[in-house]
Amino acid sequence: MTSSELWTRATADRYDAEETEMSSAAVLEPTLAFLAELAGDGRALEFAIGTGRVGVPLRERGVQVVGIELSEHMAAVLRRKADETTLPVTIGDMATTVVPGEFSLVYLVYNTITNLLTQDEQIACFRNAARHLAPGGRFVIELGVPPLRFLPPGQVAVPFDVSEQHLGFDTFDLVEQILVSHHFTRDADHGGYRRDHSRHRYAWPAELDLMARIAGLERERRVADWNGAPFTQDSAKHISVWRKPA
């Protein structure tokens, strides 16, 4: 078992309702188009497939998708959308769990590699991706760029969402490369706010490139979003693609 924190039943049951923006057509369409093009006629493996926000509609596009998911509760929500024959899911962690066969695409979206809280585990994740890829296959990661330049001297917190329904901010341990994501969400049923938090290990793009090299993968491209905008020093996130040599 890796150091990833487990999603509870309560969190899994409300996940889709709280991530409606990430499930909108504006977000999903370019994501699905990007991944489907890379998958081609081959199979795709999603690490940390969760409730199937991406995997289920990608399968509906005709891509044969297989998933690995650590939380049985998240996988149970996915099962309400697609059965095991349509979209097989193996319960396990993305750093060590192996599923049968080869894939033309392995992908990991929405900052999820940061759920692995050590550098060694993140390297193991790259190696696991390479293990599953057919020659010429690609590994794709979507990840935010650590917003450390927004930290004035002595400050360790950066807000990322301030609205009527939600207050979110990250606190940083700059020595261990750990951030804690804090969420205060308005609870309409009970009044007041619900507090949640989760730990993550952030990593820089160059660090991921080194992990890829250790795993025998070569960087093919890096863009700022699923639409392919150029990645610059001002980009808030990146979509990175590494290729397994043919």
Side-chain angles (χ1 to χ4, degrees), residues 28 31 34 68 133 135 145 160 184-185 187 198 200 202 204 224:
L28 275 183
T31 305
F34 192 107
I68 292 175
L133 285 173
V145 176
F160 59 83
F184 292 83
T185 307
D187 190 332
S198 57
H200 306 267
Y202 62 87
W204 299 97

Side-chain angles (χ1 to χ4, degrees), residues 5-138:
E5 296 178 344
L6 273 171
W7 293 81
T8 65
R9 181 186 299 276
T11 302
D13 284 343
R14 63 174 180 258
Y15 181 83
D16 286 348
E18 294 183 347
E19 295 293 344
T20 53
E21 181 180 351
M22 293 302 297
S23 299
S24 66
V27 172
L28 275 183
E29 282 304 315
T31 305
L32 300 174
F34 192 107
L35 295 174
E37 180 180 2
L38 289 182
D41 296 329
R43 298 197 303 159
L45 171 61
E46 181 171 356
F47 284 173
I49 194 169
T51 65
R53 178 183 67 89
V54 174
V56 170
L58 187 61
R59 180 67 184 89
E60 292 171 350
R61 287 200 173 205
V63 178
Q64 295 183 48
V65 179
V66 174
I68 292 175
E69 172 55 42
L70 183 62
S71 169
E72 294 185 25
H73 300 303
M74 295 289 275
V77 176
L78 182 152
R79 277 289 157 259
R80 302 170 192 167
K81 309 170 186 177
D83 61 29
E84 180 68 19
T85 301
T86 303
L87 204 168
V89 175
T90 298
I91 301 300
D93 69 82
M94 56 186 159
T96 63
T97 301
V98 178
V99 299
E102 288 187 326
F103 299 83
S104 61
L105 173 67
V106 177
Y107 65 95
L108 184 54
V109 298
Y110 203 18
N111 304 320
T112 313
I113 194 170
T114 66
N115 290 358
L116 299 169
L117 299 179
T118 70
Q119 186 183 69
D120 285 345
E121 289 176 353
Q122 291 179 352
I123 292 172
C125 180
F126 272 82
R127 285 178 165 154
N128 200 29
R131 179 184 298 121
H132 285 92
L133 285 173
R138 276 90 169 189

Side-chain angles (χ1 to χ4, degrees), residues 201-212:
R201 182 187 186 271
Y202 62 87
W204 299 97
E207 185 181 5
L208 297 182
D209 287 341
L210 184 55
M211 293 181 188

